[in-house]
Amino acid sequence: MPWEEKLTALALRAFGGLSSQDAHAKVERWRQWPYDLEDRFPRTWRVCSRISFVLFECITKAVVPLITTSATTVNLDALAVTRNPERGVITVSNHCSTFDDPCMWRDMPWDWYLGDVRMLRHTLIAEDICHRRLAHSLFFGLAQGVPVVRGAGVHQPGMDYAVELLNQHRWVHVFPEGLINQSGQLRRLKWGVGRLVWDATPTPLVVPIHIGGWGKVRPLKGGVSFGHAVQVTMGEPLDLTPLVEKLQQDGVDDVTARKVITDTIQEAMQTQHDQYERSASAAA
């Protein structure tokens, strides 16, 4: 058992009057999603979540210039649609390093953190990473991470919750490749992103994002590599409502609909990827 879980269990026994078995069971429950602490203390949880977001923003603003030669965000205004209370928004991006999130959001306006923290992005993350221990659960939970189980398909609790968020006109971020990819080529997207668009009501807007350079800064093997430029490009929002309505009128099944929607998003992301590669080659 990790040290923070042992310490928490000991505190529950000493100050909560719990038996050793009950204390460990409570710690285990706190480590699982949906988070019991969030349900029991929603206001306190949101305050701590806002503090976490602000802290991440401060760290990325301070650290990124130190480990890169330049860090630019192109077309940040495209993210303004995430403030639209009448419609959910899905941002999708390639995933080239463990630094992608939160570094990709480092240029978001400060005033976005002053409103309802639930309007900030929720992001789908791998359950086997975010729930290894209590510290990880609290860290990713306060950062509004939604755990999904790799290989469990498009119908699982984390995906259902993401659809609920979109129905409440929230912002959900997805790395639809499903893993960190430093091959230089966009992988085939997982159909889960298609399910989010297909099942959410009203049809959410989709903002494609390309992350360039972070794979060089934080390779999968080794530590941080200095001396590289990074760029995050926000694409124009895609309104897939006409496509969804056509699929509904044609009476296609859910599997076909998810595939068609995912392919459409893949084309938009591939276009961004190709544009970045051409500009990077020209600048070399």
Side-chain angles (χ1 to χ4, degrees):
M1 176 180 286
W3 66 267
E4 78 276 3
E5 296 185 13
K6 293 180 181 179
L7 187 61
T8 303
L10 182 63
L12 289 172
R13 291 173 60 189
F15 303 107
L18 299 182
S19 66
S20 177
Q21 182 177 358
D22 289 343
H24 285 91
K26 183 174 284 290
V27 171
E28 177 67 18
R29 176 68 190 89
W30 286 352
R31 190 165 61 85
Q32 300 301 316
W33 180 86
Y35 304 110
D36 182 64
L37 292 174
E38 181 179 10
D39 293 337
R40 294 180 60 188
F41 309 104
R43 291 185 179 179
T44 302
W45 182 274
R46 287 198 291 272
V47 169
C48 292
S49 182
R50 179 180 288 107
I51 293 173
S52 298
F53 272 101
V54 172
L55 181 61
F56 297 153
E57 181 84 350
C58 291
I59 292 174
T60 57
K61 285 184 179 297
V63 173
V64 169
L66 301 178
I67 61 176
T68 64
T69 57
S70 67
T72 57
T73 301
V74 179
N75 196 29
L76 181 64
D77 290 344
L79 281 187
V81 296
T82 63
R83 318 306 293 171
N84 182 1
E86 299 180 355
R87 199 169 184 181
V89 175
I90 304 172
T91 48
V92 293
S93 73
N94 59 315
H95 195 9
C96 57
S97 83
T98 55
F99 286 2
D100 292 344
D101 191 335
C103 290
M104 64 188 297
W105 313 119
R106 64 182 294 271
D107 288 328
M108 285 201 316
W110 282 109
D111 59 355
W112 287 19
Y113 299 100
L114 302 180
D116 187 348
V117 69
R118 291 170 296 182
M119 292 299 294
L120 297 175
R121 71 99 185 90
H122 292 72
T123 187
L124 302 187
I125 52 179
E127 190 270 345
D128 60 331
I129 295 177
C130 67
H131 282 167
R132 288 178 180 173
R133 53 194 294 177
L134 180 61
H136 291 179
S137 293
L138 292 176
F139 176 82
F140 289 107
L142 291 173
Q144 298 191 154
V146 179
V148 292
V149 179
R150 302 185 212 218
V154 299
H155 291 287
Q156 55 173 295
M159 294 295 294
D160 295 341
Y161 182 65
V163 172
E164 291 179 14
L165 289 171
L166 293 168
N167 289 342
Q168 297 169 14
H169 308 160
R170 305 297 188 187
W171 169 16
V172 174
H173 180 71
V174 183
F175 294 108
E177 291 177 285
L179 46 72
I180 293 176
N181 172 24
Q182 296 184 348
S183 69
Q185 300 294 325
L186 191 66
R187 289 173 57 92
R188 184 74 175 85
L189 304 188
K190 303 295 184 180
W191 289 3
V193 67
R195 188 229 159 168
L196 297 182
V197 175
W198 180 244
D199 286 358
T201 304
T203 301
L205 292 171
V206 177
V207 180
I209 300 173
H210 184 270
I211 302 171
W214 277 112
K216 296 179 180 178
V217 176
R218 185 64 174 92
L220 289 174
K221 295 182 179 180
V224 176
S225 176
F226 297 87
H228 302 285
V230 297
Q231 178 177 298
V232 177
T233 305
M234 310 292 178
E236 291 302 319
L238 305 176
D239 187 351
L240 300 181
T241 302
L243 175 61
V244 170
E245 290 178 345
K246 184 179 186 305
L247 293 172
Q248 292 171 339
Q249 293 170 0
D250 292 344
V252 302
D253 58 89
D254 290 345
V255 174
T256 301
R258 291 195 293 265
K259 181 182 184 304
V260 171
I261 293 170
T262 303
D263 288 345
T264 302
I265 295 173
Q266 174 114 30
E267 291 176 6
M269 292 182 65
Q270 186 65 54
T271 298
Q272 275 191 314
H273 172 82
D274 294 343
Q275 290 174 344
Y276 173 80
E277 290 297 325
R278 285 194 296 270
S279 62
S281 298

